[in-house]
Amino acid sequence: MADTATSYKQLKEDFVSNHSGGSIAEICYVTAVAPVAILFWSVLQARQSYFTSYAFLAFSVDFLLNVSAILLSFTLYSGSPLLLSGLLLAPAMLIYPIPPKHSAPKKKPRVPPNARSMSAGGPLELLSTKPFLTTYRGCMLVATCLAILAVDFRLFPRRFAKVETWGTSLMDIGVGSFVFSAGIVAARPVLREQAGGEKTAMAGRLIRSLRHSLPLLALGIVRLLTVKGLDYAEHVTEYGVHWNFFFTLGFLPPFVAIFQSALKIIPSYAGLAILLGVLYEVALETTSLKAFILTAPRTDLFSMNREGIFSFFGYLAIFLAGQDTGMFVLPRGINSRGAQRTTLPVTMAVWTLVWTALYFFSTDYTYGAGLTVSRRLGNLPYILWVVAFNSAQILAFCLIDTVFFPAFYRAQDAKAEKEAHDSATSRILRAFNRNGLAVFLAANVLTGLVNMTVPTLDVGPGVTMGILAGYAAAVTGVALVLDVYNISLKL
């Protein structure tokens, strides 16, 4: 019996190992399903106010569009994601010409600034919670939670699983996107500090960052003990023997706090991200570091976890690039809110082109450095790919937001802005975004339970989809229950 368990564990480890990934174009087609689904959702909401009264039918459509469509994109429709996008676009195009359910309210007369601040809804805050960011982070979390279980089934294409060393895959972009989105949120305290004219000393920043780090590091230790104690299947070359993703997340805040001091020399998080990525790549290419990471024997604690330790520099650069994006996406621009509706997409488009161009020149063999993406190393091409991809995703959601929900940018007080935000965002995606890390942790627990109770390699497509649909509903339920009871878990 023990031999059978051991052999099955080996089969599962082999199942998620030694993959070379797929093309970036295919990854873009698959991930484009989320913005297309949001486009359909926005047509229903903006034209017909379909989700304003959130009854069971509205919830069901919300779940089908923003959870099930993503699940279908990398399972049953993994070979034809453009067809799935077409199936979502077609009804959206048919519904859009139908006259709106409620006629748009007339424009209110301009209110003087002093009267505006005295409105019943209260004054607008410096930083706004923009609908497209809620949508972007919600979709990213849904896709991440679904993929971590789907990868254990044969229905999930192996080209979407994490690559062994060189190449690109859906799950590789997923883990980088998680870090990038965390960087965007991390810009909030920095912007508040700048607005208040405060300057926190290095020691104060480190203490504050450790408060965020300790729970994550504790989760990393719990995961380590659980995996080793239950003899759970592992992919050692992903992060190392003991390292896991929670350790990577946990060590980011203190290192970012240290790097803030470098802003006196390079006054840009994007500049810091590029500099760190370039220096790390130079070290990989000009020293024996790359060979050590890829081929060294695992003789001590350091060498056993070398992938997690050194790829951390790549994730740190991604986090800093995300923070740079947050620095210009999060501020409201109170004196030019109407202008921001048009300038923000333009700014995002420019940065998307910049990051894409940098990725091109780092990887092209004719005009660039001819480097290859490696999530295992966390190298420069991987950094630039993740940042360019996420910038493009945010741009897509931002454009949808701008076209369908302009009321958010015209809000005169906090109450009106909150109502406009809620009207422009999916209830499910808001719930995922609100407690992202807690929901991700719940998804990890559920993934472990499924793997310990179901022989995932032996079930057919029908049973696989049933399990994944039930799992998707359970994770969504956790997110919605926390949201309904107004619980925000800050891990």
Side-chain angles (χ1 to χ4, degrees):
M1 195 73 176
D3 291 339
T4 303
T6 302
S7 62
Y8 185 73
K9 178 191 174 186
Q10 186 61 51
L11 277 174
K12 296 200 75 169
E13 290 177 354
D14 294 341
F15 188 62
V16 295
S17 304
N18 300 312
H19 300 302
S20 56
S23 70
I24 288 180
E26 184 184 30
I27 295 167
C28 290
Y29 296 151
V30 171
T31 53
V33 169
V36 171
I38 287 298
L39 178 63
F40 188 4
W41 185 96
S42 299
V43 169
L44 287 171
Q45 176 66 353
R47 304 290 291 175
Q48 304 300 320
S49 301
Y50 190 83
F51 302 98
T52 301
S53 178
Y54 204 72
F56 178 76
L57 185 59
F59 161 74
S60 300
V61 175
D62 195 2
F63 182 80
L64 287 172
L65 287 177
N66 293 314
V67 180
S68 299
I70 294 174
L71 176 60
L72 289 171
S73 71
F74 46 66
T75 51
L76 297 180
Y77 284 86
S78 60
S80 52
L82 292 179
L83 173 61
L84 179 57
S85 291
L87 293 173
L88 292 168
L89 272 176
M93 293 172 66
L94 291 173
I95 293 170
Y96 185 79
I98 299 174
K101 186 175 180 180
H102 300 292
S103 58
K106 293 180 180 179
K107 271 191 174 181
K108 294 180 180 179
R110 288 179 64 89
V111 181
N114 58 343
R116 193 180 302 160
S117 63
M118 298 297 291
S119 60
L124 293 164
E125 295 183 5
L126 173 71
L127 305 179
S128 61
T129 305
K130 294 188 171 66
F132 69 86
L133 282 181
T134 299
T135 300
Y136 154 74
R137 281 173 51 82
C139 286
M140 183 274 301
L141 285 161
V142 168
T144 301
C145 291
L146 293 176
I148 61 174
L149 177 59
V151 70
D152 295 317
F153 291 88
R154 295 191 185 276
L155 188 59
F156 188 88
R158 293 301 90 193
R159 64 186 182 278
F160 290 173
K162 289 179 180 175
V163 301
E164 189 66 21
T165 303
W166 308 105
T168 55
S169 78
L170 182 68
M171 291 198 72
D172 285 337
I173 198 66
V175 67
S177 299
F178 200 100
V179 173
F180 183 87
S181 71
I184 293 176
V185 175
R188 282 187 173 275
V190 178
L191 287 166
R192 288 197 184 99
E193 187 177 299
Q194 289 180 355
E198 302 172 6
K199 287 189 178 180
T200 307
M202 169 72 79
R205 287 201 303 269
L206 280 173
I207 292 171
R208 188 172 63 190
S209 68
L210 287 173
R211 291 173 187 163
H212 295 286
S213 290
L214 290 177
L216 291 165
L217 296 175
L219 288 174
I221 293 171
V222 170
R223 177 176 171 80
L224 170 63
L225 295 176
T226 303
V227 167
K228 299 299 182 184
L230 296 174
D231 198 27
Y232 197 73
E234 298 178 84
H235 186 191
V236 172
T237 56
E238 185 177 346
Y239 294 109
V241 176
H242 308 100
W243 197 281
N244 59 59
F245 188 51
F246 288 109
F247 287 134
T248 297
L249 293 175
F251 283 115
L252 281 171
F255 275 85
V256 171
I258 293 170
F259 266 74
Q260 270 190 259
S261 300
L263 289 173
K264 296 174 183 176
I265 304 170
I266 304 175
S268 163
Y269 285 104
L272 284 176
I274 294 170
L275 179 62
L276 177 60
V278 168
L279 291 176
Y280 177 48
E281 188 62 41
V282 169
L284 287 172
E285 299 298 329
T286 60
T287 69
S288 59
L289 178 59
K290 186 195 297 183
F292 171 75
I293 297 172
L294 299 180
T295 63
R298 301 183 188 275
T299 56
D300 53 29
L301 191 63
F302 185 77
S303 61
M304 284 180 180
N305 298 286
R306 56 186 185 268
E307 290 92 348
I309 293 169
F310 287 103
S311 67
F312 175 79
F313 292 107
Y315 289 118
L316 177 58
I318 291 169
F319 189 93
L320 290 169
Q323 200 162 4
D324 185 80
T325 302
M327 295 296 285
F328 65 82
V329 168
L330 293 175
R332 176 188 313 286
I334 290 178
N335 296 325
S336 57
R337 288 195 307 281
Q340 191 183 38
R341 184 189 167 203
T342 53
T343 58
L344 199 52
V346 172
T347 305
M348 279 307 311
V350 170
W351 274 107
T352 300
L353 289 173
V354 168
W355 290 114
T356 303
L358 289 173
Y359 170 76
F360 172 80
F361 287 118
S362 73
T363 56
D364 188 77
Y365 286 95
T366 305
Y367 301 103
L371 301 171
T372 305
V373 173
S374 174
R375 186 264 321 148
R376 182 178 175 185
L377 295 173
N379 64 355
L380 181 62
Y382 177 69
I383 295 166
L384 297 173
W385 174 45
V386 168
V387 179
F389 172 86
N390 281 274
S391 298
Q393 284 274 302
I394 293 173
L395 173 61
F397 291 122
C398 184
L399 288 171
I400 295 170
D401 204 21
T402 300
V403 171
F404 288 98
F405 302 106
F408 176 84
Y409 299 93
R410 296 199 298 259
Q412 302 295 327
D413 57 67
K415 181 182 178 182
E417 186 179 78
K418 175 69 165 56
E419 290 173 351
H421 171 272
D422 290 352
S423 176
T425 52
S426 153
R427 179 78 174 267
I428 288 174
L429 297 182
R430 288 204 307 271
F432 269 89
N433 177 60
R434 180 176 183 179
N435 286 290
L437 200 54
V439 174
F440 179 64
L441 178 60
N444 273 269
V445 173
L446 288 172
T447 296
L449 290 174
V450 171
N451 273 279
M452 288 188 293
T453 55
V454 177
T456 57
L457 300 184
D458 301 330
V459 298
V463 176
T464 296
M465 288 306 297
I467 293 171
L468 290 177
Y471 163 82
V475 175
T476 302
V478 170
L480 285 174
V481 166
L482 291 174
D483 187 54
V484 166
Y485 285 95
N486 200 29
I487 299 172
S488 293
L489 299 176
K490 303 299 181 184
L491 299 180

